[in-house]
Amino acid sequence: MAKDFTSPLSAERVCSILLKRGLISKEQKEEIFKEKDTLRQKLEKLQMIRGASGGSSSRIMNPITIIDIISFLKLDRKDDPTRELDEETIFQALAEEWRIDYKKIDPLKLDLNLVTTTIPRSFAMKHLVLPVAVQGGWLTVATPNPHNLEVMEDISRVSQLRVKPVVSSKSDIIRLIDEFYGFRRSIAAAEEQFSGPTIDLGNLEQYVKLREVRDLPSDDRHIVNAVDHLFNYAFDQRASDIHIEPKRNTSLVRLRIDGVLHSIYELPRSVHGALISRVKALSRLDMAEKRRPQDGRMKIDRGQGVEAEIRVSTIPTAFGEKSVLRILDPDILFQDIGELGMTSMDLVRYEQFINLPHGLVLVCGPTGSGKSTTLYSTLRYLSDEENNITTVEDPIEMVYEDFNQIAVQPAVGITFASILRNILRQDPDIIMIGEMRDLETAQNAIQAALTGHLVLSTLHTNDAPSAIARLVDIGVPRFLIDATLNGVLAQRLLRKICPHCTETFEISTDDLMAMGIETGKKGMIELKRGRGCIECRGTGYLGRAGIFEVLPVTEPIKDLIAQEGGADMIRQAACKEGMVTLRENAIKKMLDGETTYQEVIRVTWEQI
């Protein structure tokens, strides 16, 4: 028993630290000691079951600690009963007590080679150690037990570097060892199978030679494992897109998170073709066709009944085929329209013109502004047994059985313009056209709106009033716009301040005014910003929110359309009727503490 009391991770020592720091009460400590032996046996059985199922992380059984037991109990924190006492909080408290830095590891900033070549996987998993950084002759090693000095000395001898231990949670260490060593093992094995002379793509003659080199099979188990690791990693990091890009000597993998691209892996150039072939096989693309762009899709089971659709696009580049995989999450694409981020007044106005029995509704914004989410959410809001909803998309973003979805296929004569004539013979109530690109599409859409159908579509314009000018530019007569257009919704996505590191600061309204931000206030005001933390990868932002500009086409607006009023005149008239602009909505979110003035400027620069 004496040994248990002196061990840094003993039940008594850990509970005493948590009690001292006000994270648990005496009653909770007694509950932990009462339940710990029973729970230890239960957790050991669960670990054995996982090991029997073949999980890679369970080949080496790590002893169950008191921290595992406390985390399993899901106790309420004494200092904040609304929050759970989780594993991370426990290790943070221990790190502070031990006066050792705590590190929440950001997988995006880890060096794959450093992690996987410094020490063997078996050693890393047995002792729960993970090399995370090298600087100034020091190797930083993350571990849940920094007091294992013998292990630190072994790592120092092998790496020829001085070792600095930092504390990280046990589950993070195990997960990252599995992800990084598993991915590295798969790539290394694939590279070995595909070893051969390096091929320079500097000229066309050498480019032709690529055809003579055998491709690694797309069903090779190492490539299959590598792609599976890549998908899981993207899901864990909340990525919206995966880019697999061929370079002269490497293959670069990047993830887009909250609208920003992050470089993740630099892989051997020799495995690039096999990775692309595996993606093509999963998305039913022609693996032999490498000269033409291709589009496909796949559905992936993420576990626990959660599915994600992935849209795949490949295109030939100077160094080979590049592939972009867009991850489509049903929970994001299909939302309650009241949760999209509109103000209460904007929501009322939007609902008014989408509930009209016929007419044209336009959703505007640049690529990546959330138009698809708004359209899908609107269609689901309008969907019921009494409505026949038909969509024409290029490509179909998300398959939804309540809609009759048609994919544009120019090769067989299915375009936005041509298919609309056929749709009108299908007795539709609501028609969604993915994009109004040309006069023929616009004319057919307006004809559908004139004959008693509700038509929804998108336009690439900067704001709502510009949509009317855009229709005129492509050749739509003003009297038809006047007769059919119900309303226009323009939108953008701006990044939200990270809730984990938000802080308040003061700024002068004169300074904001100089940057084009009119708050309607005087003197100093308080705003919020993110300091930057591990949760937001040092950016100060986490997640995105929509801002909207809703323009109902009222009688005064119709008069201006008929009188050939420009976008500026329409905007002024709409603002007099109560339209709130994109910039005004962005400023409101800034004043409410949801975003920063830098985001307001970045997203609505054309209105400042």
Side-chain angles (χ1 to χ4, degrees):
M1 182 65 71
K3 182 180 177 181
D4 184 57
F5 272 79
T6 56
S7 171
L9 290 174
S10 70
E12 182 62 39
R13 291 289 294 274
V14 170
C15 287
S16 296
I17 291 170
L18 297 179
L19 187 65
K20 172 185 173 182
R21 294 188 170 271
L23 293 172
I24 62 172
S25 63
K26 290 182 179 179
E27 292 76 18
Q28 287 174 319
K29 180 180 177 182
E30 291 172 4
E31 180 186 354
I32 293 167
F33 273 82
K34 181 180 177 182
E35 300 286 343
K36 68 182 179 68
D37 293 332
T38 305
L39 287 177
R40 189 185 303 276
Q41 293 175 5
K42 184 175 181 178
L43 290 171
E44 286 172 350
K45 286 181 181 178
L46 287 173
Q47 192 180 61
M48 290 177 66
I49 291 170
R50 291 194 191 101
S53 68
S56 60
S57 63
S58 303
R59 292 174 189 163
I60 298 173
M61 300 294 184
N62 297 112
I64 300 299
T65 68
I66 189 63
I67 299 170
D68 299 320
I69 293 167
I70 298 171
S71 302
F72 187 80
L73 281 170
K74 299 185 185 301
L75 300 171
D76 293 336
R77 288 175 52 165
K78 184 188 174 187
D79 61 338
D80 186 358
T82 62
R83 297 170 63 190
E84 187 181 290
L85 183 60
D86 56 17
E87 180 189 25
E88 192 169 328
T89 305
I90 297 169
F91 276 109
Q92 283 177 332
L94 294 176
E96 289 177 11
E97 185 71 20
W98 295 334
R99 296 183 180 178
I100 298 174
D101 291 339
Y102 177 83
K103 184 173 182 64
K104 174 69 176 176
I105 304 171
D106 182 359
L108 299 184
K109 294 181 180 176
L110 287 183
D111 183 333
L112 181 65
N113 288 325
L114 172 67
V115 172
T116 56
T117 59
T118 305
I119 55 176
R121 180 194 177 281
S122 57
F123 184 90
M125 186 62 80
K126 180 179 179 180
H127 300 291
L128 296 180
V129 286
L130 189 75
V132 294
V134 173
Q135 188 173 13
W138 286 87
L139 174 67
T140 302
V141 176
T143 176
N145 182 12
H147 300 286
N148 198 335
L149 301 180
E150 186 177 341
V151 170
M152 299 302 159
E153 289 172 3
D154 289 342
I155 297 173
S156 181
R157 280 196 298 271
V158 169
S159 65
Q160 299 295 305
L161 295 166
R162 292 173 291 178
V163 171
K164 174 190 174 184
V166 293
V167 178
S168 293
S169 68
K170 178 180 175 182
S171 59
D172 277 358
I173 296 290
I174 292 174
R175 176 173 57 82
L176 291 168
I177 288 173
D178 267 348
E179 284 183 359
F180 277 78
Y181 282 89
F183 188 76
R184 164 57 71 183
R185 187 167 58 242
S186 300
I187 291 298
E191 183 184 16
E192 184 177 344
Q193 284 185 249
F194 197 41
S195 59
T198 302
I199 298 171
D200 186 6
L201 300 178
N203 58 57
L204 291 177
E205 287 180 2
Q206 290 166 321
Y207 182 78
V208 174
K209 288 180 184 178
L210 272 180
R211 299 186 196 174
E212 301 172 2
V213 182
R214 65 180 181 87
D215 281 331
L216 191 65
S218 62
D219 59 353
D220 177 86
R221 64 185 178 89
H222 302 303
I223 289 298
V224 170
N225 290 338
V227 173
D228 287 349
H229 276 294
L230 186 57
F231 282 140
N232 286 322
Y233 193 60
F235 294 144
D236 287 343
Q237 302 303 317
R238 303 179 300 104
S240 62
D241 299 86
I242 306 171
H243 291 237
I244 306 174
E245 305 175 4
K247 304 299 180 186
R248 187 179 297 278
N249 299 313
T250 61
S251 178
L252 181 64
V253 178
R254 297 197 287 173
L255 299 183
R256 187 177 295 279
I257 302 167
D258 290 340
V260 178
L261 275 172
H262 299 263
S263 295
I264 306 302
Y265 300 127
E266 274 198 9
L267 306 179
R269 180 66 179 82
S270 56
V271 302
H272 177 82
L275 287 176
I276 297 296
S277 294
R278 175 60 180 167
V279 170
K280 283 183 170 181
L282 290 172
S283 51
R284 297 182 180 178
L285 298 180
D286 184 354
M287 286 190 285
E289 180 56 78
K290 300 182 179 181
R291 299 167 301 169
R292 294 188 179 93
Q294 295 189 71
D295 293 302
R297 64 191 313 114
M298 67 181 87
K299 180 171 279 191
I300 289 185
D301 184 357
R302 296 174 57 178
Q304 299 178 340
V306 179
E307 292 182 339
E309 288 208 20
I310 297 180
R311 199 176 75 200
V312 179
S313 172
T314 66
I315 195 166
T317 68
F319 296 114
E321 279 189 289
K322 176 187 175 183
S323 182
V324 174
L325 296 82
R326 169 153 289 186
I327 300 169
L328 304 168
D329 188 341
D331 292 336
I332 294 175
L333 273 178
F334 294 101
Q335 298 184 34
D336 187 305
I337 61 171
E339 296 176 358
L340 292 174
M342 297 185 208
T343 63
S344 56
M345 184 55 68
D346 281 347
L347 180 60
V348 168
R349 292 181 173 188
Y350 184 61
E351 287 179 340
Q352 283 174 348
F353 61 70
I354 64 173
N355 280 308
L356 292 173
H358 55 81
L360 178 63
V361 175
L362 295 176
V363 178
C364 303
T367 301
S369 60
K371 298 188 300 294
S372 295
T373 297
T374 299
L375 280 176
Y376 273 105
S377 300
T378 301
L379 289 176
R380 193 172 73 165
Y381 166 79
L382 296 171
S383 175
D384 58 37
E385 294 180 356
E386 299 175 357
N387 283 328
N388 173 16
I389 298 177
T390 303
T391 74
V392 190
E393 304 171 60
D394 182 21
I396 295 172
E397 294 268 355
M398 175 69 69
V399 177
Y400 191 63
E401 63 180 16
D402 287 358
F403 311 152
N404 302 294
Q405 294 171 284
I406 303 166
V408 168
Q409 300 179 68
V412 294
I414 300 177
T415 64
F416 283 120
S418 65
I419 197 64
L420 273 170
R421 292 190 292 271
N422 303 94
I423 289 174
L424 291 177
R425 294 193 282 272
Q426 290 283 315
D427 187 30
D429 296 294
I430 300 169
I431 302 170
M432 192 272 274
I433 304 168
E435 185 180 344
M436 208 171 283
R437 297 175 177 173
D438 51 43
L439 177 58
E440 188 181 2
T441 305
Q443 285 176 331
N444 283 300
I446 285 175
Q447 188 61 39
L450 283 170
T451 53
H453 305 89
L454 182 66
V455 181
L456 291 84
S457 188
T458 67
L459 270 181
H460 290 283
T461 61
N462 288 332
D463 55 20
S466 299
I468 297 166
R470 174 66 177 147
L471 289 177
V472 173
D473 287 343
I474 63 176
V476 180
R478 286 181 177 270
F479 73 91
L480 287 180
I481 301 173
D482 188 339
T484 56
L485 190 59
N486 292 349
V488 184
L489 173 78
Q491 66 180 91
R492 295 285 193 282
L493 290 175
L494 48 73
R495 292 182 291 174
K496 296 191 293 185
I497 295 170
C498 173
H500 304 282
C501 62
T502 182
E503 66 178 8
T504 302
F505 71 101
E506 287 192 341
I507 187 169
S508 166
T509 53
D510 292 337
D511 291 340
L512 291 173
M513 182 71 77
M515 292 182 280
I517 299 177
E518 172 58 69
T519 62
K521 301 182 179 182
K522 299 291 184 181
M524 302 296 291
I525 60 170
E526 284 192 350
L527 298 179
K528 291 185 177 180
R529 64 188 173 197
R531 291 189 303 275
C533 65
I534 191 62
E535 297 292 338
C536 61
R537 300 178 180 86
T539 63
Y541 300 101
L542 187 64
R544 292 188 290 177
I547 54 170
F548 300 87
E549 184 174 275
V550 181
L551 171 61
V553 179
T554 58
E555 289 303 323
I557 301 297
K558 287 183 178 182
D559 291 341
L560 281 173
I561 295 172
Q563 295 165 15
E564 300 188 6
D568 289 337
M569 293 177 64
I570 292 172
R571 183 182 298 106
Q572 290 172 10
C575 289
K576 286 180 182 177
E577 292 193 325
M579 183 185 82
V580 182
T581 66
L582 285 167
R583 179 176 56 168
E584 289 167 346
N585 272 320
I587 291 172
K588 183 178 185 303
K589 287 191 181 293
M590 176 193 76
L591 295 174
D592 289 343
E594 293 184 47
T595 192
T596 64
Y597 70 85
Q598 290 94 336
E599 275 294 282
V600 173
I601 295 170
R602 184 182 71 86
V603 174
T604 65
W605 62 269
E606 67 273 5
Q607 294 189 339
I608 292 179

